[in-house]
Amino acid sequence: MNLLENITNPALLFFLLGVLAVQLKSDLKVPENSSKFMSIYLLISIGFKGGQELSHNGITTEIIWSLLSGILLATIVPIISFLILRRKMSAANACAIAASYGSVSAVTFVTAASFLDFEQIHFGGHMIAVMAIMEAPAIVIGVLLYNYFKENNTTDKQENSIKSIFKHAVTNASVFLILGSLLIGFFATKEQADGIKPFTTDIFKGFLVIFLLDMGITSGKQLSAMISKGIYPFLFSTIMPFIYGLIALLISIEITDNIGNQLLFSILGASASYIAVPAAMKNALPEANPGLYLPMALGITFPVNVLIGIPFYYSILMVIH
């Protein structure tokens, strides 16, 4: 039932429409500048609202454990992924893919938050901070693994590389914007927040619909490119997200009783980065093939999480509760 409800959600139907447009070779497209604006808007909106929630609830034990667990997941997942992938791929490709799956997707998170809103389920604003803090560790771990397995690397080069990539991860546009919006929302008063509510809340779903249409078009193109890469990358990007998502779900059950927080934690564990990590890997691991790790994260894992993963974890949580 939840899967059917999720598929009939207009935002997700527009995502499928974008995928279909590519398969039918339609000339439908969203202007690049409009796509960038919508991405910025969604990050500002979700970050600001998360900051407001955080300011109302204060810092609790649950929040601290959630942040620590997020960092732990972002550290362990890329290591596990690398050990699995290294058997079939070069060190550079294995590290780049591992970093992608250890990091998170802000768009998947926003979609899951929209799903919770559709189901009228509340979630804590601190989950925004958990998402933001999970971006950087996985990127750093990916580079560390690469430096360890790459021959003829000096310590100085490793240190410079790590410093550079950590700075890039923290100042990445998506991470910087959502953290900044979170802080602004945290310090804004309720009256100030209500003043911009028509912008941060009322038009959110409309922009999400158009953005997911654009993501559907992009995913459809990446999906086509993924087919030529063989069965192994396809299996990894389809199966492993569910394993990571279930691990995150089990961890979340020990941290919180809030179904919304548990679902978001699950989807953070299952999602893969296709924005922050590719931008970082382009400079840190030029040997890695973006035609491999980008289609895996965006062409396979993203739609699997959006169409199947979110209602799947939600159904499990409904049974548990």
Side-chain angles (χ1 to χ4, degrees):
M1 182 63 182
N2 290 318
L3 176 60
L4 291 176
E5 288 180 356
N6 199 31
I7 291 178
T8 56
N9 185 325
L12 300 181
L13 286 176
F14 273 100
F15 173 81
L16 289 174
L17 182 65
V19 175
L20 182 63
V22 174
Q23 304 309 314
L24 297 179
K25 302 187 184 306
S26 168
D27 60 353
L28 174 66
K29 64 179 180 179
V30 176
E32 185 178 352
N33 289 337
S34 298
S35 179
K36 288 181 179 179
F37 169 77
M38 287 183 289
S39 177
I40 290 172
Y41 164 76
L42 293 174
L43 291 172
I44 288 176
S45 178
I46 198 75
F48 184 85
K49 289 187 289 185
Q52 277 284 292
E53 288 288 336
L54 196 58
S55 67
H56 296 157
N57 299 329
I59 304 299
T60 64
T61 303
E62 177 187 330
I63 292 175
I64 294 173
W65 277 112
S66 296
L67 291 170
L68 291 175
S69 299
I71 295 172
L72 179 66
L73 265 178
T75 303
I76 292 176
V77 168
I79 294 175
I80 295 174
S81 299
F82 175 80
L83 293 175
I84 295 172
L85 294 163
R86 186 67 180 94
R87 301 169 63 183
K88 297 285 186 178
M89 300 178 183
S90 67
N93 284 331
C95 287
I97 296 171
S100 295
Y101 283 82
S103 189
V104 294
S105 164
V107 179
T108 310
F109 181 92
V110 170
T111 307
S114 176
F115 174 83
L116 289 173
D117 184 55
F118 180 79
E119 296 288 341
Q120 298 184 331
I121 295 176
H122 177 265
F123 63 91
H126 67 278
M127 291 305 299
I128 310 295
V130 175
M131 177 192 67
I133 207 170
M134 288 178 68
E135 286 269 19
I139 297 174
V140 174
I141 292 296
V143 176
L144 283 172
L145 287 169
Y146 179 68
N147 284 334
Y148 180 80
F149 283 93
K150 183 181 178 182
E151 296 180 356
N152 300 323
N153 241 343
T154 66
T155 303
D156 289 338
K157 286 182 179 179
Q158 291 180 22
E159 290 179 353
N160 290 334
S161 177
I162 296 304
K163 288 178 182 178
S164 174
I165 201 62
F166 186 78
K167 179 181 178 182
H168 184 89
V170 173
T171 58
N172 172 271
S174 297
V175 180
F176 186 79
L177 185 57
I178 201 157
L179 281 176
S181 301
L182 184 76
L183 288 173
I184 293 171
F186 182 82
F187 289 113
T189 65
K190 185 179 185 303
E191 291 73 20
Q192 291 169 333
D194 288 342
I196 60 171
K197 187 177 178 181
F199 174 77
T200 59
T201 303
D202 296 348
I203 62 174
F204 180 84
K205 289 184 178 180
F207 273 107
L208 179 64
V209 162
I210 303 173
F211 185 73
L212 283 178
L213 171 66
D214 182 47
M215 292 305 299
I217 295 171
T218 305
S219 296
K221 294 176 181 177
Q222 297 293 345
L223 184 61
S224 301
M226 188 68 235
I227 297 175
S228 63
K229 304 300 179 181
I231 191 67
Y232 192 76
F234 178 82
L235 289 176
F236 181 92
S237 55
T238 303
I239 297 172
M240 293 309 297
F242 285 104
I243 295 176
Y244 297 145
L246 289 173
I247 292 173
L249 186 148
L250 292 174
I251 293 174
S252 70
I253 290 174
E254 298 298 321
I255 297 173
T256 177
D257 295 326
N258 184 294
I259 296 177
N261 292 347
Q262 291 172 344
L263 176 66
L264 291 177
F265 211 93
S266 302
I267 209 66
L268 285 175
S271 67
S273 172
Y274 49 82
I275 298 175
V277 171
M281 293 299 109
K282 182 178 181 181
N283 296 321
L285 275 69
E287 297 90 341
N289 180 13
L292 187 61
Y293 58 81
L294 185 56
M296 287 176 68
L298 179 57
I300 305 294
T301 300
F302 176 70
V304 166
N305 275 328
V306 167
L307 298 174
I308 303 174
I310 294 173
F312 172 70
Y313 303 123
Y314 180 72
S315 298
I316 293 176
L317 289 169
M318 288 293 99
V319 171
I320 292 175
H321 287 272

